[in-house]
């Protein structure tokens, strides 16, 4: 039951503390109301009777005022209880009374009373939709996203979903419409042939929301340092050589890293994403890898899936939707370089540590050290976790930005210790 009402509301510890404070305040308010009620009742029943008629009416009037005051106190306590419950749930961020909200949005976000009353384990009385608190700051985009015909076809708005999650509105609300269906034009290859066989341009053309309708266009786009020709799976392309042939001392070969794991690497998580080539190379070695990917100006998720691999559409800001200690390997590259604040990088690293099992490997692959301070920050952070350094290399290489200037990169294979 608790899992069904989980919300992305920021730091769970802080929210737990706030819930405790709210509960304490609520207890004080209710105690005050009970005491007040008892005192007024005691006063009303112990006051000496007055034989005079006008005094009798005065007492009745006074009791009526006391009863009205008690009712107002009870009403105030009920409102306070409702307000505190919203604060505890983190639901106060989205105002459903705003004008022109789509009916589907209000229907999804509306709280639902539990049919059997209060849940004894969690203490909640209502089910709340799982939606990020940051959606409140993107309510206009969220309204567009939820403006559709229930039971019909979903709008072709994958770009809108991308924009929402990039603004922190993650997870997105569920929708009651049918997602666009990719046509049967072209064909997909069977696994494992699919790992290196490009799908036809007809299939690429059926992927909606992108300007490119073929691989020539995709390979010609400048998509950043992690994806230079990453859709080119031909034998002469650079993508076919990655993690198999080292081009510099910072490039580690997959077989060498797997050997460091002592044959115990079975499942992994790739934060770098790209077009899924890391997962493809691991699949050839019977290692299952989940690839985190966003569709930033290109159909990365569609392409990874077409290769018979497993993409997952999440950002770095979301808590990874995996249980504790399940991965044997976590791989990341320049994605960590996007962390502007040290605290943000810290949150990410603790989540990486959470999903990595004891004895598992953390592969930091060509992390771009934009300056000496960033290198020191990452080094200090890693050392805090007490990981064993199986391999650690810092060197220069020419990046893919076209400047021709050598940049400092750091690569490492680290082993998570057994704690406690």
């Amino acid at each position: 039951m608790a899992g069904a009402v989980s919300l992305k509301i920021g730091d769970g510890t802080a929210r737990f503390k706030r819930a405790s404070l709210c509960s304490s305040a609520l207890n004080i308010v209710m105690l005050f109301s009970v005491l007040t009620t008892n005192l007024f009742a005691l006063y009303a029943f112990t006051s000496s009777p007055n034989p005079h008629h006008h005094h009798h009416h005065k007492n009745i009037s006074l009791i009526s005022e006391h009863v009205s005051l008690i009712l107002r106190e009870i009403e105030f306590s009920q409102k306070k209880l409702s307000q505190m419950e919203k604060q505890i749930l983190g639901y106060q961020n989205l105002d459903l009374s705003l004008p022109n909200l789509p009916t589907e949005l209000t229907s999804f976000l509306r709280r639902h009373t539990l049919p059997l009353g209060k849940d004894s384990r969690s203490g909640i009385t209502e089910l709340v939709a799982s939606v990020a608190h940051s959606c409140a700051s993107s309510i206009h985009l969220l309204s567009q996203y939820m403006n559709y015909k229930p039971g019909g076809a979903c709008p072709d708005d994958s770009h809108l979903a991308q924009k929402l999650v990039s603004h922190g509105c993650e997870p997105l609300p569920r929708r009651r419409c049918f997602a666009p269906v990719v046509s049967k034009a072209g064909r997909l290859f069977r696994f494992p042939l699919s790992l290196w066989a490009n799908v036809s341009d007809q299939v690429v053309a059926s992927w909606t929301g992108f300007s490119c309708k073929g691989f020539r266009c995709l390979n010609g786009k400048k998509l950043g340092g992690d994806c230079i020709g990453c859709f080119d799976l031909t034998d002469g392309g650079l993508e076919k050589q990655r993690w198999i042939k080292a081009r510099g001392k910072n490039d580690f070969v997959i077989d060498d890293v797997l050997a460091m794991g002592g044959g115990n690497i079975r499942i992994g998580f790739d934060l770098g994403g790209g077009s899924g080539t890391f997962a493809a190379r691991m699949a050839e070695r019977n290692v299952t890898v989940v690839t985190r990917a966003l569709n930033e100006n290109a159909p990365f998720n569609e392409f990874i899936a077409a290769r018979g691999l497993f993409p997952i559409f999440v950002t770095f800001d979301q808590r990874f939707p995996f249980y504790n200690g399940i991965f044997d390997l976590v791989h990341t590259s320049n994605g960590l370089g996007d962390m502007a604040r040290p605290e943000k990088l810290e949150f990410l690293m603790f989540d990486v540590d959470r999903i990595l099992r004891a004895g598992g490997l953390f592969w930091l692959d060509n992390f771009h050290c934009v300056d000496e301070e960033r290198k020191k920050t990452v080094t200090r952070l890693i050392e805090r976790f007490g990981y064993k350094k199986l391999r650690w290399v810092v060197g220069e290489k020419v990046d893919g930005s076209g400047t021709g200037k050598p940049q400092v990169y750091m690569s490492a294979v680290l082993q998570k210790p057994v704690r406690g």
Side-chain angles (χ1 to χ4, degrees):
M1 183 65 69
V5 295
S6 61
L7 290 174
K8 181 178 178 184
I9 53 176
D11 182 19
T13 304
R15 182 66 65 182
F16 179 81
K17 290 180 179 178
R18 194 166 99 179
S20 301
L21 291 174
C22 288
S23 300
S24 301
L26 181 60
N27 290 335
I28 294 173
V29 170
M30 297 304 294
L31 179 61
F32 174 77
S33 298
V34 171
L35 289 175
T36 304
T37 303
N38 290 332
L39 288 175
F40 284 152
L42 180 64
Y43 172 80
F45 288 106
T46 57
S47 59
S48 57
N50 194 319
H52 299 290
H53 185 71
H54 71 279
H55 284 173
H56 174 72
H57 282 288
K58 184 176 180 181
N59 285 340
I60 294 295
S61 176
L62 184 61
I63 292 173
S64 298
E65 290 180 6
H66 290 330
V67 170
S68 297
L69 180 60
I70 292 171
L71 292 176
R72 286 197 297 272
E73 287 288 343
I74 294 174
E75 183 181 5
F76 172 78
S77 299
Q78 290 175 337
K79 289 181 179 179
K80 194 70 176 177
L81 173 62
S82 177
Q83 180 183 357
M84 288 178 176
E85 187 175 18
K86 288 181 179 181
Q87 290 175 344
I88 292 171
L89 294 171
Y91 192 73
Q92 75 282 6
N93 299 288
L94 289 170
D95 185 3
L96 299 185
S97 65
L98 293 173
N100 303 321
L101 287 182
T103 304
E104 283 293 278
L105 179 59
T106 57
S107 178
F108 177 78
L109 295 178
R110 187 176 295 115
R111 295 186 292 175
H112 303 280
T113 303
L114 295 180
L116 299 179
K118 185 177 181 180
D119 180 67
S120 58
R121 290 180 300 172
S122 62
I124 64 169
T125 59
E126 296 175 314
L127 287 175
V128 183
S130 178
V131 63
H133 71 278
S134 297
C135 291
S137 61
S138 303
I139 193 67
H140 177 64
L141 293 175
L142 188 63
S143 296
Q144 293 182 45
Y145 182 74
M146 295 298 288
N147 189 15
Y148 60 89
K149 181 180 178 181
C154 294
D156 184 10
D157 56 0
S158 58
H159 66 287
L160 194 56
Q162 174 80 24
K163 186 178 292 186
L164 279 166
V165 298
S166 298
H167 282 77
C169 185
E170 183 183 34
L172 291 171
R174 287 173 172 158
R175 299 200 291 188
R176 295 185 292 181
C177 59
F178 296 101
V181 178
V182 176
S183 67
K184 293 183 179 179
R187 71 188 183 99
L188 298 176
F189 296 92
R190 292 186 177 183
F191 190 88
L193 183 61
S194 61
L195 295 176
W196 301 105
N198 269 336
V199 297
S200 68
D201 282 349
Q202 289 176 303
V203 175
V204 178
S206 69
W207 293 336
T208 60
F210 306 100
S211 58
C212 286
K213 299 301 179 182
F215 282 105
R216 183 185 297 273
C217 174
L218 284 175
N219 289 324
K221 290 177 70 71
K222 293 183 178 180
L223 298 172
D226 286 337
C227 185
I228 300 175
C230 66
F231 292 99
D232 182 7
L233 303 184
T234 61
D235 290 336
L238 294 177
E239 196 71 6
K240 200 70 177 287
Q241 303 175 19
R242 297 187 71 186
W243 298 291
I244 296 299
K245 181 180 180 181
R247 291 178 291 170
K249 65 177 184 178
N250 286 74
D251 297 331
F252 299 164
V253 176
I254 277 182
D255 290 331
D256 294 342
V257 175
L258 290 179
M260 297 178 197
N264 296 319
I265 307 300
R266 306 152 302 160
I267 54 175
F269 183 35
D270 183 17
L271 295 177
S275 60
T277 296
F278 180 82
R281 286 303 185 193
M282 283 294 187
E284 292 176 330
R285 290 151 178 81
N286 297 319
V287 178
T288 301
V289 171
V290 179
T291 304
R292 186 206 70 88
L294 293 179
N295 282 6
E296 295 174 325
N297 302 318
F300 289 105
N301 280 273
E302 290 88 339
F303 188 75
I304 294 170
R307 299 178 74 174
L309 302 168
F310 183 6
I312 184 168
F313 186 73
V314 296
T315 68
F316 278 113
D317 295 316
Q318 180 182 351
R319 184 181 189 267
F320 297 131
F322 305 113
Y323 195 67
N324 304 341
I326 62 171
F327 288 108
D328 305 310
L329 170 74
V330 175
H331 171 264
T332 187
S333 53
N334 283 338
L336 290 180
D338 297 333
M339 305 292 107
R341 294 181 292 109
E343 295 85 359
K344 192 173 183 180
L345 179 59
E346 227 177 273
F347 277 113
L348 174 62
M349 282 297 302
F350 271 97
D351 209 25
V352 167
D353 181 80
R354 178 184 64 81
I355 63 176
L356 185 63
R357 68 167 175 82
L361 303 183
F362 175 49
W363 183 352
L364 185 62
D365 188 1
N366 281 281
F367 170 76
H368 183 204
C369 304
V370 292
D371 51 37
E372 185 66 22
E373 184 59 33
R374 177 57 58 89
K375 185 179 73 173
K376 290 181 180 178
T377 299
V378 174
T379 302
R380 286 194 297 264
L381 179 59
I382 290 174
E383 289 175 347
R384 282 180 55 191
F385 287 85
Y387 281 30
K388 182 180 180 180
K389 297 179 181 179
L390 303 181
R391 193 170 179 185
W392 184 284
V393 175
V394 178
E396 291 186 346
K397 71 173 186 176
V398 178
D399 63 8
S401 63
T403 61
K405 296 180 180 179
Q407 303 286 334
V408 176
Y409 287 82
M410 179 170 61
S411 294
V413 177
L414 312 162
Q415 187 173 42
K416 180 178 175 178
V418 178
R419 302 191 187 101

